[in-house]
Amino acid sequence: MTQDLDTLLTALYVKIDDELKGPRWTGRPPVLTDSELVCVAVAQSLLGFTSEAHWLRYARKHLTGLFPYLPQQSGYNKRLRAALGLI
């Protein structure tokens, strides 16, 4: 299952990255790009996690190969709200 999930998330990331039009930020770029953030949020929804805390705990344990950096819960929530238009 892990290999299937990795393949799905890789394909999802490529599709999202192709659809997004360049960086939204000015200044120093964030460690987690907008494409990665949207991919992580879609994966959370696809896997049925309703709690951000549970999702981030799961992602840190199982998805570190795909997403080496994941923000803390408050940072994740803040970035998601700021990127609502992208999702």
Side-chain angles (χ1 to χ4, degrees):
M1 163 133 163
T2 303
Q3 189 173 7
D4 294 337
L5 181 60
D6 290 352
T7 304
L8 173 68
L9 292 179
T10 301
L12 179 64
Y13 171 77
V14 170
K15 177 66 174 164
I16 291 169
D17 195 48
D18 287 346
E19 293 294 322
L20 293 181
K21 308 282 193 281
R24 291 185 314 119
W25 62 83
T26 58
R28 192 173 85 192
V31 178
L32 186 72
T33 66
D34 289 338
S35 299
E36 291 171 327
L37 178 72
V38 172
C39 186
V40 169
V42 171
Q44 176 184 355
S45 179
L46 286 174
L47 294 175
F49 284 90
T50 55
S51 166
E52 289 177 354
H54 289 124
W55 165 245
L56 290 172
R57 203 169 21 248
Y58 175 86
R60 279 193 187 92
K61 184 174 181 183
H62 298 285
L63 303 177
T64 55
L66 297 173
F67 304 104
Y69 171 77
L70 288 171
Q72 296 298 320
Q73 183 180 355
S74 62
Y76 178 70
N77 189 319
K78 195 179 296 184
R79 285 284 310 275
L80 274 181
R81 292 188 193 286
L84 194 59
L86 298 176
I87 298 173

